[in-house]
């Protein structure tokens, strides 16, 4: 078993990676690792993640209370959202928060990463929704994040950044890299006239690959099983009720399945209103105003 000092060194190494890859600026971002059900290591507040050494790292309990911290260091106030992930996802061993440029740009624009455009993103991430805005250091962020935890392993934080989690530190960091790469490709393909999305048949094949790999975590391949026995990607929430249908990006039917139902009140709208609403949704997906 890896001892705590080695894990602290690994946290510092990941901190240098996110800093060198322009995923954070100044003292932004935070990282945590689960040691056991009541002990967690985390990065301190007010420190650049690119210049940490092991003595910077703090230890907290499941409530975020300090168990151990060297003089001059205290846990980030954003440890609250990390603790909410660990509480609701016992399979998670590490959480990474950063402000990668492209992914954060999508979060600021209010555009979720939901278009199936490349095999790696469909297999590893599925989709990346946007958790509604919350004031930093308050319980608003973990409260707004909570409803996404049973379904996803990565989210954008509205007007804030990105959050990823997985079984261990390296896997959680790799998800952050994947989110940013996905966002950059999606942005640049929009500039070139718009991405060409996979059809339902190809998405189904990619889901099957994921199952054969036995990959850990949550993913649409494990959720959406109601379309005539087939899986789907961004089916507009047609297979789900309640909160799932309300998730950003899930009001669209990207695969053209035709199963999505119109929103309540749509039938009462005039043709002009419907055209205006559809135009607005399309422009929003293209990142236009």
């Amino acid at each position: 078993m890896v001892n705590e000092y080695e894990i602290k060194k690994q946290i510092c190494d990941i901190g240098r990676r996110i800093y060198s890859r322009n995923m954070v600026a100044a003292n932004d971002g935070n990282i945590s690792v689960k040691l056991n059900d009541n002990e967690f290591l985390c990065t301190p507040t007010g420190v650049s993640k690119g210049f940490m050494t092991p003595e910077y790292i703090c230890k907290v309990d499941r409530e975020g209370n300090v168990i151990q911290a060297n003089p001059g260091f205290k846990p980030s106030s954003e440890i609250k959202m990390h603790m909410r992930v660990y509480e609701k996802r016992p399979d998670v061993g590490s959480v990474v928060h950063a402000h990668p440029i492209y992914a954060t740009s999508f979060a600021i624009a209010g555009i979720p990463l939901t278009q199936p455009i490349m095999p790696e993103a469909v297999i590893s991430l599925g989709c990346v929704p946007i958790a509604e805005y919350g004031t930093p250091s308050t319980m608003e962020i973990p409260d707004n994040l909570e409803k996404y935890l049973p379904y996803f392993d990565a989210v954008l934080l509205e007007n804030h950044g990105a959050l990823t989690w997985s079984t261990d530190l390296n896997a959680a960091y790799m998800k952050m890299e994947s989110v940013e790469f996905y966002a950059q490709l999606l942005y640049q393909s929009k500039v070139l006239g718009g991405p060409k999305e996979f059809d339902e048949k190809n998405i189904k094949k990619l889901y099957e690959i994921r199952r054969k790999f036995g990959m850990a975590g949550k993913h649409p391949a494990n959720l959406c099983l109601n379309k005539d026995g087939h899986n789907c990607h961004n089916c507009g929430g047609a297979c789900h009720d309640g909160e799932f249908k309300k998730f950003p990006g899930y009001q669209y039917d990207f695969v053209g399945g035709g199963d999505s139902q119109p929103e309540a009140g749509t039938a009462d709208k005039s043709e002009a209103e419907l055209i205006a609403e559809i135009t607005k949704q399309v422009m929003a997906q293209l990142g236009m105003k």
Side-chain angles (χ1 to χ4, degrees), residues 268-281:
D268 298 324
K269 296 178 180 178
S270 69
E271 182 177 349
E273 288 175 319
L274 287 172
I275 293 172
E277 182 173 313
I278 292 169
T279 301
K280 182 180 179 180
Q281 291 183 2

Side-chain angles (χ1 to χ4, degrees), residues 53-112:
T53 53
E55 62 269 19
Y56 286 39
I57 306 304
C58 307
K59 184 190 287 189
V60 299
D61 65 17
R62 69 174 69 187
E63 305 298 329
N65 301 314
V66 177
I67 295 176
Q68 188 277 324
N70 289 322
F73 300 103
K74 61 180 182 179
S76 167
S77 61
E78 292 188 322
I79 193 65
K80 298 178 181 68
M81 63 180 172
H82 293 241
M83 293 298 106
R84 188 65 60 89
V85 176
Y86 294 122
E87 177 189 351
K88 300 300 179 180
R89 289 285 301 276
D91 58 311
V92 168
S94 181
V95 179
V96 174
H97 169 53
H99 302 165
I101 293 172
Y102 285 93
T104 303
S105 297
F106 276 85
I108 291 170
I111 304 172

Side-chain angles (χ1 to χ4, degrees), residues 22-73:
N22 294 320
M23 291 184 175
V24 291
N27 301 330
D28 297 346
N30 31 81
I31 303 165
S32 67
V33 172
K34 179 179 179 179
L35 297 175
N36 54 58
D37 288 342
N38 195 52
E39 293 182 312
F40 305 82
L41 297 177
C42 66
T43 52
T45 188
V47 170
S48 170
K49 304 309 169 291
F51 298 91
M52 296 186 301
T53 53
E55 62 269 19
Y56 286 39
I57 306 304
C58 307
K59 184 190 287 189
V60 299
D61 65 17
R62 69 174 69 187
E63 305 298 329
N65 301 314
V66 177
I67 295 176
Q68 188 277 324
N70 289 322
F73 300 103

